[in-house]
C-alpha cells in the first residue's frame, strides 16, 4: 500500500510541474494584469475567480480525464470518443497555431527588455519608450525572430529536460520576486486607489464582455480548449489522483496571475492614475520599468525580472511549438527536423502582421483591432469558447459524464465537487458559454449594443 502511495505521489508531482510549466507564462504575467486593468479591476477579478473554480475546474478535469482514458493526443482522442466529433480535435489543434506566432512576438519584446536592462538604457522608464519600440518596422521583427529561433532550437534538439530543470528552479524564484516587487510597489505613493480598483468589484462596470474576456483568459492561462491538457493527461499514470492534480495546477496558475495583477495595477495607479488602466497589451512593459527606476538597484531587479519572464515565456512557447510539431508529424508524416523548419518559417510569416501592426501597419485593423489583438481575440474569445462548448455537449450529453467521473475515481480516488462537475458540464457551462459567445460576438460586430 505504501508502495502505491509513493509512486502515485511522485507521478503526480512530476505531472503537476509539467502542466504548471506549460500553464504559467505570458498569460499570467502579461495578459492577466492588462485585462484586469482594462475590464474594471475588481469586477474582472471576481468573475475570473468564479469562472476558474467552476468552468476552469470542470474543463481541466474533463481534458485530463479524456487524455488519460484515450492515451493519445487531441485529434485522435476526440475521434476515439466519437467519430462525429473528430472535427473538434482539428478545431482544438488550430488554436495553438494561431497563438504561437503572436506569443513569440511578445516573447521578442521580453527579450528586447532583457537587452535593454543588460546594457542599461535609462529611457526605458519613459512613457514613450515602449510605444516607440514596437512602432519600429525592423527591430521588433528581429527580436521576434530571435525568440522564435531560440524556441525552435530547443524543440529541435529536444533539450526540454534541461529547460525543465531550469523551470523548477525558476518558478520559485519568480514567485519570490513577484511577492518582493509587490511589497515594494505598495510602499510607493498613491497606490491605494489602484489597490482598491483591483480588489473591490464595481458592479456598474459589469457587462457580458467582462465575462467573455475573463473566460478567454481562463482558457488561455490554463492552456485549456486546445487539446494541450488532453496530451498531458495521456502521459498521466493511471494510479495518480487526478482531482488533486487539477486543484493544484489551478491554484498555482491562478495564484501567479492574481499576484501579477497585484504587482502591476497599484503601480499603474501610482504613476499614471486610474486613467492609465486602459493601456492594453503594453501595460507590463510600460509600468514595471517605472517601478524599477525608483527602486534601489532597480536595473539589476529589472534585468532579473525580465529574465524570469523570458523563462516562463519560453517554456510555454516550447510546449506550444511542440504541440504543433507533433500534430504535423502525425498528420503529414514528416520528419522532426522538416516539421521544425516548416513550422518556424510559417510562424514567422504569420507573426509578421502582429509585429508590424503596432507601427507601419497600424492603420490596418480587423474588427477594429490591430493584428495582434485580432489573433488574440479569434483564438481566445471565439475558437476556445466554441471548443469548450462542444466538449461540454460531447461529454455532458452525447457520452455522459460518467466516463469522466469513473476516470477521476479510478483506484478509489475521491472526486471533490463531483456533483458540481456533473451539473456544470451538462447544464450550466454549455448554456453560459454559448450565450456569452453569441452576445459578445454580436456586440463586437456592432449588431447589438450593451
Ligand atoms: N497558458 C500559457 C500562458 O499562460 C499560454 C498558452 C496557451 C500555452 N496555450 C498554450 C502554453 C499551450 C503552452 C501550450 O502563458
Amino acid at each position: 500500500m505504501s508502495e502505491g502511495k509513493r509512486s502515485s505521489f511522485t507521478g503526480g508531482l512530476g505531472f503537476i510541474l509539467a502542466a504548471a510549466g506549460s500553464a504559467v507564462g505570458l498569460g499570467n504575467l502579461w495578459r492577466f494584469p492588462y485585462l484586469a486593468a482594462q475590464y474594471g479591476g475588481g469586477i474582472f477579478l471576481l468573475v475570473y475567480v468564479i469562472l476558474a473554480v467552476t468552468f476552469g475546474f470542470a474543463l481541466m478535469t474533463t481534458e485530463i480525464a479524456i487524455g488519460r482514458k484515450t492515451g493519445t493526443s487531441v485529434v485522435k482522442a476526440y475521434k476515439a470518443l466519437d467519430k462525429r466529433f473528430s472535427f473538434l480535435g482539428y478545431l482544438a489543434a488550430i488554436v495553438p497555431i494561431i497563438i504561437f506566432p503572436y506569443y513569440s512576438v511578445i516573447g521578442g519584446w521580453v527579450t528586447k527588455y532583457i537587452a535593454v536592462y543588460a546594457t542599461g538604457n535609462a529611457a526605458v522608464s519613459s512613457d514613450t519608450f515602449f510605444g516607440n519600440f514596437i512602432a519600429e518596422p525592423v527591430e521588433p521583427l528581429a527580436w521576434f525572430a530571435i525568440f522564435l529561433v531560440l524556441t525552435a532550437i530547443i524543440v529541435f534538439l529536444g533539450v526540454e529536460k534541461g529547460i525543465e530543470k531550469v523551470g523548477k528552479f525558476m518558478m520559485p524564484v519568480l514567485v519570490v520576486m513577484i511577492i518582493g516587487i509587490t511589497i515594494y510597489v505598495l510602499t510607493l505613493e498613491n497606490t491605494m486607489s489602484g489597490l482598491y480598483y483591483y480588489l473591490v468589484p464595481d458592479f456598474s462596470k459589469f457587462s457580458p464582455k467582462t465575462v467573455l474576456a475573463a473566460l478567454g483568459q481562463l482558457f488561455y492561462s490554463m492552456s485549456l480548449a486546445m487539446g494541450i491538457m488532453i496530451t498531458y493527461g495521456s502521459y498521466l499514470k493511471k494510479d495518480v489522483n487526478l482531482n488533486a492534480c487539477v486543484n493544484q495546477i489551478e491554484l498555482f496558475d491562478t495564484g501567479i496571475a492574481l499576484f501579477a495583477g497585484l504587482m502591476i495595477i497599484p503601480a499603474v495607479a501610482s504613476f499614471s492614475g486610474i486613467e492609465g488602466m486602459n493601456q492594453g497589451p503594453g501595460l507590463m512593459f510600460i509600468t514595471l520599468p517605472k517601478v524599477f527606476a525608483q527602486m534601489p538597484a532597480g536595473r539589476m531587479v529589472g534585468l532579473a525580472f525580465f529574465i524570469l519572464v523570458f523563462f516562463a515565456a519560453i517554456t510555454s512557447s516550447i510546449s506550444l511549438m511542440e504541440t504543433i510539431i507533433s500534430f504535423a508529424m502525425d498528420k503529414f508524416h514528416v520528419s522532426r527536423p522538416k516539421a521544425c523548419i516548416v513550422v518556424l518559417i510559417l510562424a514567422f510569416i504569420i507573426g509578421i502582421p502582429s509585429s508590424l501592426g503596432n507601427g507601419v501597419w497600424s492603420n490596418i485593423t480587423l474588427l477594429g483591432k490591430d493584428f495582434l489583438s485580432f489573433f488574440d481575440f479569434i483564438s481566445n474569445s471565439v475558437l476556445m469558447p466554441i471548443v469548450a462548448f462542444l466538449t461540454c455537449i460531447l461529454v455532458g450529453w452525447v457520452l455522459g459524464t460518467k466516463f469522466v467521473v469513473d476516470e477521476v475515481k479510478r483506484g478509489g480516488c475521491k472526486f471533490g465537487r463531483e456533483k458540481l462537475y456533473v451539473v456544470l458540464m451538462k447544464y450550466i457551462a454549455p448554456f453560459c458559454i454559448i450565450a456569452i459567445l453569441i452576445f459578445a460576438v454580436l456586440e463586437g460586430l456592432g449588431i447589438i449594443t450593451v
Side-chain angles (χ1 to χ4, degrees):
M1 192 59 217
S2 67
E3 244 340 281
K5 238 185 175 159
R6 195 170 59 228
S7 80
S8 89
F9 174 65
T10 44
L13 192 65
F15 172 74
I16 291 166
L17 286 175
S22 153
V24 174
L26 292 171
N28 309 62
L29 302 167
W30 156 78
R31 201 171 185 276
F32 180 85
Y34 93 71
L35 286 180
Q38 201 167 8
Y39 284 96
I43 189 69
F44 184 87
L45 189 65
L46 180 68
V47 172
Y48 184 83
V49 170
I50 293 175
L51 289 177
V53 295
T54 53
F55 293 10
F57 145 76
L59 278 159
M60 188 175 293
T61 302
T62 305
E63 292 198 14
I64 296 176
I66 290 180
R68 188 164 77 173
K69 190 172 169 64
T70 59
T72 166
S73 62
V74 61
V75 173
K76 287 187 195 150
Y78 279 111
K79 197 169 168 191
L81 290 177
D82 189 318
K83 277 225 156 52
R84 292 166 299 171
F85 277 78
S86 306
F87 73 95
L88 189 51
Y90 287 101
L91 206 58
I94 293 173
V95 178
I97 299 175
I98 300 179
I99 293 182
F100 179 54
Y102 84 79
Y103 200 88
S104 302
V105 169
I106 301 153
W109 299 350
V110 174
T111 319
K112 154 84 180 175
Y113 270 58
I114 295 180
V116 169
Y117 275 99
T119 54
N121 180 348
V124 67
S125 60
S126 77
D127 273 325
T128 48
F129 183 85
F130 178 72
N132 289 343
F133 161 62
I134 58 170
E136 296 250 349
V138 182
E139 214 200 320
L141 267 184
W143 289 108
F144 161 46
I146 290 173
F147 186 85
L148 205 53
V149 169
L150 284 175
T151 305
I153 290 175
I154 296 168
V155 171
F156 177 69
L157 295 176
V159 292
E160 298 105 87
K161 287 277 170 320
I163 278 279
E164 246 175 65
K165 282 215 185 84
V166 179
K168 272 177 204 157
F169 156 78
M170 169 216 96
M171 284 292 170
V173 182
L174 183 66
V175 172
V176 171
M177 257 197 114
I178 292 181
I179 295 175
I181 297 171
T182 305
I183 293 172
Y184 179 79
V185 162
L186 295 178
T187 66
L188 297 173
E189 265 173 56
N190 303 325
T191 49
M192 280 324 279
S193 61
L195 198 61
Y196 189 83
Y197 179 82
Y198 182 52
L199 294 178
V200 182
D202 172 356
F203 288 91
S204 70
K205 294 212 169 82
F206 180 85
S207 86
K209 260 169 100 174
T210 320
V211 193
L212 185 76
L215 194 67
Q217 171 61 17
L218 177 74
F219 295 152
Y220 187 89
S221 186
M222 294 192 182
S223 311
L224 295 173
M226 59 181 97
I228 299 287
M229 287 299 156
I230 296 184
T231 311
Y232 276 97
S234 73
Y235 302 131
L236 182 60
K237 287 206 200 109
K238 297 280 185 199
D239 60 349
V240 172
N241 184 337
L242 203 156
N243 192 231
C245 289
V246 169
N247 289 342
Q248 291 182 37
I249 299 166
E250 258 199 87
L251 193 68
F252 198 61
D253 189 72
T254 309
I256 296 216
L258 300 192
F259 259 102
L262 204 54
M263 167 177 75
I264 293 178
I265 294 177
V268 178
S270 171
F271 292 109
S272 326
I274 293 292
E275 315 80 57
M277 294 298 171
N278 221 347
Q279 274 165 353
L283 196 67
M284 178 176 94
F285 297 93
I286 298 168
T287 306
L288 284 179
K290 290 185 201 288
V291 176
F292 298 144
Q294 304 239 325
M295 272 178 142
R299 194 179 135 196
M300 290 325 286
V301 179
L303 179 62
F305 179 79
F306 280 104
I307 289 175
L308 289 170
V309 177
F310 173 83
F311 274 111
I314 204 151
T315 48
S316 292
S317 73
I318 289 165
S319 123
L320 276 166
M321 184 166 179
E322 183 65 44
T323 315
I324 302 172
I325 298 274
S326 53
F327 173 67
M329 282 166 42
D330 257 16
K331 189 74 206 155
F332 305 109
H333 306 288
V334 286
S335 66
R336 191 175 186 86
K338 261 201 197 129
C340 275
I341 290 170
V342 173
V343 171
L344 175 66
I345 293 171
L346 284 181
F348 185 69
I349 295 170
I350 300 172
I352 289 175
S354 296
S355 184
L356 295 182
N358 298 292
V360 247
W361 287 359
S362 60
N363 50 348
I364 313 175
T365 57
L366 302 164
L367 298 180
K369 299 174 194 316
D370 62 77
F371 281 104
L372 195 153
S373 306
F374 174 76
F375 285 126
D376 190 75
F377 176 77
I378 289 295
S379 51
N380 298 288
S381 299
V382 182
L383 282 175
M384 286 149 111
I386 293 176
V387 172
F389 168 72
L390 291 171
T391 304
C392 291
I393 297 296
L394 174 66
V395 172
W397 294 93
V398 179
L399 302 169
T401 48
K402 189 169 177 306
F403 88 93
V404 174
V405 173
D406 289 348
E407 188 60 42
V408 175
K409 285 184 169 169
R410 188 191 275 276
C413 291
K414 275 217 168 65
F415 188 172
R417 292 183 277 177
E418 176 184 340
K419 289 228 166 57
L420 174 72
Y421 172 80
V422 174
V423 176
L424 272 171
M425 287 305 285
K426 234 176 136 98
Y427 304 104
I428 305 177
F431 174 75
C432 290
I433 293 173
I434 204 73
I436 300 162
L437 178 66
I438 292 176
F439 203 90
V441 169
L442 289 181
E443 208 232 320
L445 298 175
I447 298 172
I448 51 170
T449 47
V450 212

